[in-house]
Amino acid sequence: METYFYHSLTPFQWFLIIGLALSFLTELFYSNFYLRKIKKKQEARINSASTPVSIVICAKNQAHYLEKNLRGFLNQDYPNFEIIVVDNGSVDDTEDVLIRLKNEYPHLRSTKIPIDDKFKHNKKLAITIGVKAAKHDRILHLNPNSFANSETWLQNTMAQAEGKLYNAYSNFDYRKGFFYNFYRYDLSKQMIKLAAFTKSNKLYAGNAYNMSFSKTDFLNNKGYAGNAHFEAGYDHILSIDLAKKTDYTFSSMPDTKLSVDAKNQAKVWRTLKKYYFRSRKHIPFKRKFLLDLEPVAQFLFLLFLILSAIYTQLYFSLLALYLVKIAVKGYSFKNALRHLREENLFLSSYVYVFLRPIYNLIFYIQSCTYSKRS
């Protein structure tokens, strides 16, 4: 029997128990918060499904992706849209692929940024050129390695975008393998968090794989003025800047999801993580505090749990508390995955949950080192 329940505890033991309880409650609060927000239904505007839209795709040496995925966007069941592909100095078959597709699809347009060794630029210039070339005010920014899962994706997307700054769920296409599933798990956790904070009017990032904004808002913001030299942030910093001047939303509905090709999955995932952590310095302090409170609570819970086991010997109670945490968080995450139709990630999440903080810490340290060098 745990006699410590019946005897007075020392101040240090009370400190451990109170710290354990607070970190436990913080973790459960975030789990419930994510589940409520991810499942929150958003009413679609009927007239939005006919709003003219320009889809901007920037490609550099990605002819194989354009050949594979572009037709899926060109064949969308939508009355008035165009696709603009900006060839960002490709030396592969990108130009040939675009010429062939433009002969088949009159609503496909393209422009090319020539290679110039004296003029160095990043993707932000290509996006700016694409936006300025657009005929319509509503812009959808996508990447060549993403693809739609149905011909009604654009219709569903425009019904949810509501003329606002808009980000939506995307994730890697399914592929067998321990780390391939880990990349999908990590991205799903990131998207769930982004959806919850955005729906709570606390946007802190964007998703270049499934993002929409107004051309007018983009130009009024002077595009990427002030950070055009910065390789990261073409989605995160832009979303933060535009969110200061316009309403914003996030769609977690499965019919607005875009899938990302599993080829080069590890490289793409590393780039996404690197760009996010390098853009974090642009997140407002209060939002950054709320973002970091959850991982800090997770660390403190484990720390207080171990120390409590050593100094209080309340083994049964501590084990029960840990199991309750696993059960409640597992229930919330499973329901969130079911909503996103990513149920096959649930069981492996009990392993990945220990791996993810390690990678996040590595990317955070790398971003700090990068900032000091810059």
Side-chain angles (χ1 to χ4, degrees):
M1 176 180 286
E2 295 178 340
T3 58
Y4 275 85
F5 279 117
Y6 307 99
H7 296 281
S8 60
L9 298 173
T10 67
F12 178 66
Q13 290 171 330
W14 273 116
F15 169 75
L16 293 178
I17 292 174
I18 293 173
L20 184 65
L22 290 176
S23 56
F24 170 78
L25 293 174
T26 301
E27 284 201 64
L28 296 196
F29 168 80
Y30 274 93
S31 294
N32 181 60
F33 168 67
Y34 294 150
L35 179 60
R36 284 189 296 106
K37 294 299 180 180
I38 201 73
K39 296 183 72 174
K40 183 179 179 181
K41 292 184 178 180
Q42 181 176 318
E43 294 184 4
R45 291 197 320 178
I46 298 176
N47 60 342
S48 296
S50 60
T51 302
V53 58
S54 297
I55 299 176
V56 175
I57 301 175
C58 303
K60 184 172 184 178
N61 298 325
Q62 294 175 301
H64 56 293
Y65 285 131
L66 294 173
E67 184 79 63
K68 180 180 178 181
N69 300 327
L70 196 52
R71 280 190 174 85
F73 293 119
L74 290 164
N75 289 324
Q76 286 295 300
D77 182 15
Y78 197 79
N80 191 0
F81 76 102
E82 64 172 354
I83 295 182
I84 302 169
V85 177
V86 182
D87 182 353
N88 194 11
S90 299
V91 293
D92 61 357
D93 297 330
T94 294
E95 189 172 2
D96 294 335
V97 171
L98 291 174
I99 290 174
R100 185 167 65 254
L101 289 174
K102 283 192 288 187
N103 290 331
E104 298 179 41
Y105 300 94
H107 54 298
L108 172 62
R109 300 164 56 209
S110 68
T111 184
K112 182 172 184 176
I113 302 176
I115 299 175
D116 188 345
D117 294 333
K118 297 180 181 179
F119 176 63
K120 300 295 182 182
H121 67 277
N122 54 38
K123 190 173 182 177
K124 292 177 180 178
L125 175 64
I127 295 173
T128 302
I129 290 174
V131 172
K132 289 184 175 180
K135 294 179 180 178
H136 308 305
D137 186 64
R138 176 50 45 179
I139 306 294
L140 259 172
H141 177 269
L142 311 177
N143 281 326
N145 58 336
S146 60
F147 60 91
N149 296 292
S150 74
E151 293 186 357
T152 59
W153 165 81
L154 183 55
Q155 185 180 131
N156 297 326
T157 293
M158 293 306 297
Q160 295 290 332
E162 298 183 336
K164 302 176 182 179
L165 168 62
Y166 166 90
N167 288 280
Y169 180 71
S170 63
N171 206 337
F172 293 111
D173 193 24
Y174 175 75
R175 184 174 178 178
K176 289 184 178 180
F178 178 83
F179 279 101
Y180 291 121
N181 268 329
F182 171 71
Y183 302 144
R184 292 179 58 238
Y185 163 80
D186 179 73
L187 202 53
S188 70
K189 293 284 286 187
Q190 182 177 321
M191 289 291 167
I192 290 172
K193 193 168 191 172
L194 178 57
F197 273 77
T198 302
K199 291 180 179 182
S200 299
N201 296 320
K202 292 179 176 59
L203 180 145
Y204 66 89
N207 177 24
Y209 279 87
N210 203 347
M211 180 173 71
S212 177
F213 51 86
S214 163
K215 177 180 179 178
T216 301
D217 291 340
F218 181 87
L219 296 178
N220 287 340
N221 190 61
K222 298 181 180 179
Y224 294 102
N227 62 85
H229 63 287
F230 186 46
E231 62 172 337
Y234 60 88
D235 52 353
H236 303 313
I237 299 175
L238 179 64
S239 291
I240 292 171
D241 287 344
L242 295 183
K244 298 173 184 176
K245 305 169 185 177
T246 186
D247 293 332
Y248 49 85
T249 187
F250 189 102
S251 174
S252 54
M253 303 300 294
D255 54 9
T256 61
K257 172 190 173 182
L258 283 180
S259 296
V260 182
D261 198 295
K263 186 177 181 181
N264 298 321
Q265 192 175 13
K267 181 180 179 181
V268 173
W269 176 78
R270 286 194 298 268
T271 301
L272 290 173
K273 299 290 284 187
K274 178 178 68 175
Y275 282 2
Y276 167 70
F277 278 96
R278 289 184 180 180
S279 301
R280 270 177 56 91
K281 62 183 179 181
H282 295 271
I283 302 175
F285 174 78
K286 290 183 179 179
R287 295 182 189 182
K288 194 183 296 185
F289 172 80
L290 293 173
L291 287 170
D292 294 340
L293 184 58
E294 183 195 14
V296 169
Q298 292 172 345
F299 170 77
L300 290 177
F301 179 84
L302 288 176
L303 178 63
F304 284 126
L305 186 71
I306 294 171
L307 292 176
S308 297
I310 296 173
Y311 291 103
T312 68
Q313 300 177 2
L314 299 172
Y315 304 124
F316 178 78
S317 299
L318 295 176
L319 177 61
L321 187 69
Y322 184 70
L323 293 176
V324 168
K325 192 197 82 159
I326 290 178
V328 174
K329 292 189 68 174
Y331 171 81
S332 297
F333 187 54
K334 183 177 182 179
N335 277 276
L337 290 176
R338 183 180 292 121
H339 174 77
L340 297 172
R341 297 177 187 171
E342 302 276 14
E343 297 96 326
N344 56 0
L345 289 173
F346 175 67
L347 290 178
S348 55
S349 68
Y350 284 106
V351 176
Y352 296 145
V353 70
F354 296 102
L355 193 60
R356 187 170 188 255
I358 298 173
Y359 275 100
N360 283 342
L361 181 60
I362 292 172
F363 281 107
Y364 176 74
I365 294 172
Q366 289 177 344
S367 69
C368 292
T369 304
Y370 173 83
S371 297
K372 289 181 180 179
R373 288 203 311 266
S374 299

